[in-house]
């Protein structure tokens, strides 16, 4: 893997899995948003020309976890995708 920078949106809690996103070093300057959405989800936004690219990193609840935890995770992800990401362009 080439050189990159880990974007993790803050410190991870001890003893818990966290999520992060690797960004190619020369693209770090294009980051306009780094948002941790809990222990299992984060989002970054980057500018490419006149478009904004949203990238999610998620760690879904594993088999054996309560159904309520899985449902809450899916609802949170869908909310981010459907309601929080209007089509945006830079003019």
């Amino acid at each position: 893997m080439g050189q990159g920078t880990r974007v993790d949106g803050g410190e991870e809690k001890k003893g818990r899995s966290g999520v992060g996103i690797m960004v190619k070093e020369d693209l770090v300057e294009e980051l306009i948003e780094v948002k941790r959405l809990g222990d299992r989800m984060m989002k970054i936004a980057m500018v490419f020309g006149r478009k904004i690219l949203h990238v999610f990193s998620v760690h879904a609840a594993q088999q054996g976890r309560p159904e309520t935890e899985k449902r809450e995770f899916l609802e949170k992800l869908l909310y981010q995708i459907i309601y929080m990401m209007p089509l945006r362009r830079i003019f």
Side-chain angles (χ1 to χ4, degrees):
M1 186 181 257
Q3 294 294 320
T5 301
R6 179 184 163 100
V7 178
D8 65 15
E11 295 182 20
E12 296 175 14
K13 293 182 179 177
K14 205 171 198 176
R16 300 285 309 252
S17 297
V19 292
I21 299 175
M22 293 293 292
V23 177
K24 190 173 177 186
E25 200 167 322
D26 61 339
L27 296 177
V28 170
E29 293 178 6
E30 306 304 327
L31 284 171
I32 58 171
E33 180 181 30
V34 177
K35 189 172 184 180
R36 181 170 286 282
L37 304 166
D39 290 341
R40 297 181 176 271
M41 189 180 320
M42 75 173 294
K43 175 184 95 158
I44 65 171
M46 303 176 75
V47 176
F48 288 99
R50 294 175 53 176
K51 303 223 183 220
I52 296 175
L53 174 69
H54 298 268
V55 178
F56 286 87
S57 177
V58 299
H59 180 197
Q62 301 286 324
Q63 181 179 354
R65 302 298 302 168
E67 286 300 317
T68 55
E69 182 179 334
K70 294 176 186 179
R71 188 174 25 256
E72 287 172 6
F73 170 82
L74 182 57
E75 288 171 359
K76 190 174 190 177
L77 178 59
L78 290 174
Y79 177 80
Q80 290 296 318
I81 293 170
I82 295 169
Y83 298 107
M84 300 299 292
M85 295 184 47
L87 180 61
R88 295 191 293 180
R89 292 189 178 166
I90 298 174
F91 296 100

